[in-house]
Amino acid sequence: MTVVVTGAAGFIGMHVAERLLNEGQAVIGIDSFNAYYDPALKRLRARRLATHGGFRMIEADIADPALMSAIVRDHGIRQVIHLAAQAGVRYSIDNPFAYERSNLAGHLSILEACRHGGVEHLVYASSSSVYGDRPLDGRGFREDDPAVSPVSLYAATKRSCELLSHSYASLYGFPQSGLRFFTVYGPMGRPDMAYFGFTEKIMRGDPIEVYGEGRMARDFTYVDDIVDGILGVLVNPPTAGGHEIYNIGDSRPVGLMEMIDLLEKALGREAIKIMRPMQPGDVTATYADISKLHALTGYQPKVELADGLPRFVDWWRTWNGGAAGRP
Ligand code: NAD
């Protein structure tokens, strides 16, 4: 059976597609290779996937409903993992229409393709940012917490995707699972994320800007754990008409200063830190309660930040050394 993975040239999409291919599944990847961050990294990921015989990449914009429907219909697709999106909280402040196209029109286009194509399970990416700004009070955020209040435009579009999916599941009956990912990191990660940007600056000897005066905390989740969660959900669809939301996180939030400390150790260099206030759209903390996913799949995160960051750094040294043609 062929699985469609949208955003397959992206960070998480590449890791998901690769795991499926290693398990012997055929995968069709869809990605627009947009220039939100270095497209050379997306090309590198796509080349890695292309070394697997069962992989095919279609370079296309998901916000093209006719094309998405044709792909799903013509290949008899029954499972879709929809990860393509315009990511990034800060970028959304100045570029709202990129989010409208990829996250709203794009999600709708995938929903229409699944509805008309007879897809049996749509698994799609949501985000911990939908929970909004809440302090760490000793317990993780739960999927059924009543106050879900996004503060950034990015988060608002992700919450909108959940609502669109909910209505499509109940109107048209095809099962869907929305996954709220918590700060995903790892090899081949995203250059726009803090741990990646800090790495580049620390190694160049440039200062790093530490937002929220360093008092933020994030539930950093290693990419292999995210893949475990996604594929565990994929084979456990809700019943017809069902729409379920699951957190996928590490469930051990780490303070920003501790993350920088671990990064300095992995890099063997000290950072020059400039403390800055919180940025608009940012939240103080994230913390996943993963009991719902654990009950469904036995999900248990395996890689803590102290082990995962050195794995990222090992990869980054090869990437920075010119693996993708960079100086
Ligand atoms: P990413 O930016 O690396 O991957 C997204 C991919 O989607 C990119 O390759 C991009 O080119 C593609 N894309 C964007 N718009 C498109 C469009 N209109 N048509 C076709 N392709 C398009 O991001 P990622 O970190 O791999 O994130 C994957 C998903 O997980 C996204 O939905 C993101 O919002 C969500 N998410 C990620 C994190 C994280 O920490 N990485 C956290 C929460 C949620």
Side-chain angles (χ1 to χ4, degrees):
M1 190 157 39
T2 302
V3 181
V4 161
V5 178
T6 74
F11 167 42
I12 300 172
M14 189 280 290
H15 284 278
V16 168
E18 189 166 62
R19 178 86 67 86
L20 285 167
L21 291 162
N22 284 336
E23 289 173 358
Q25 295 254 35
V27 174
I28 293 177
I30 303 174
D31 205 294
S32 62
F33 293 83
N34 72 24
Y36 167 59
Y37 61 78
D38 192 353
L41 179 53
K42 298 183 183 182
R43 297 281 166 202
L44 178 72
R45 297 185 187 121
R47 283 201 297 279
R48 181 157 141 178
L49 291 175
T51 62
H52 296 263
F55 182 70
R56 176 169 170 214
M57 179 66 89
I58 298 175
E59 189 163 341
D61 190 330
I62 53 159
D64 177 341
L67 181 58
M68 292 307 113
S69 290
I71 293 169
V72 166
R73 188 188 56 235
D74 295 351
H75 295 89
I77 300 298
R78 293 289 165 265
Q79 294 175 321
V80 174
I81 302 177
H82 171 39
L83 304 172
Q86 179 57 56
V89 166
R90 293 196 189 122
Y91 188 75
S92 70
I93 291 166
D94 293 324
N95 301 278
F97 294 107
Y99 294 76
E100 178 203 36
R101 180 158 185 90
S102 291
N103 303 5
L104 300 179
H107 192 77
L108 205 49
S109 165
I110 296 294
L111 286 171
E112 282 289 293
C114 292
R115 168 195 165 198
H116 292 296
V119 164
E120 288 163 8
H121 193 192
L122 168 63
V123 174
Y124 67 91
S126 183
S127 161
S128 61
S129 62
V130 303
Y131 286 106
D133 197 15
R134 43 176 95 182
L136 284 184
D137 62 1
R139 70 172 197 98
F141 307 166
R142 286 175 53 96
E143 296 87 345
D144 55 2
D145 282 348
V148 171
S149 46
V151 290
S152 69
L153 185 106
Y154 165 70
T157 60
K158 285 296 186 182
R159 179 68 184 137
S160 304
C161 292
E162 294 180 353
L163 297 173
L164 288 169
S165 277
H166 189 79
S167 68
Y168 263 68
S170 49
L171 281 171
Y172 306 115
F174 67 92
Q176 297 183 57
S177 303
L179 308 178
R180 293 178 179 164
F181 301 153
F182 284 66
T183 313
V184 191
Y185 74 98
M188 293 209 148
R190 266 177 34 210
D192 61 313
M193 292 184 70
Y195 69 95
F196 200 127
F198 286 174
T199 297
E200 304 218 300
K201 288 190 170 139
I202 292 170
M203 294 313 283
R204 280 202 304 264
D206 290 344
I208 62 169
E209 293 184 305
V210 182
Y211 292 113
E213 313 286 349
R215 283 192 291 273
M216 296 197 283
R218 290 288 179 273
D219 196 339
F220 292 99
T221 311
Y222 192 66
V223 67
D224 289 355
D225 289 325
I226 289 283
V227 174
D228 285 350
I230 295 171
L231 297 186
V233 170
L234 183 69
V235 295
N236 284 289
T239 50
H243 174 237
E244 293 292 338
I245 304 263
Y246 300 95
N247 290 334
I248 312 186
D250 186 72
S251 208
R252 289 171 287 196
V254 173
L256 185 52
M257 298 313 288
E258 192 185 338
M259 184 272 263
I260 294 169
D261 200 45
L262 291 170
L263 196 53
E264 288 173 328
K265 285 202 183 84
L267 292 167
R269 282 224 199 166
E270 252 187 64
I272 306 160
K273 304 174 193 86
I274 301 177
M275 304 313 255
R276 297 266 191 237
M278 287 268 288
Q279 296 294 291
D282 270 355
V283 297
T284 316
T286 61
Y287 180 7
D289 180 319
I290 52 174
S291 50
K292 183 174 177 188
L293 181 60
H294 178 78
L296 182 79
T297 69
Y299 171 80
Q300 200 62 56
K302 298 189 188 82
V303 182
E304 61 180 328
L305 192 62
D307 296 325
L309 270 183
R311 295 190 200 182
F312 162 73
V313 166
D314 284 349
W315 167 79
W316 180 83
R317 289 186 198 280
T318 64
W319 157 252
N320 195 49
R326 284 172 38 143

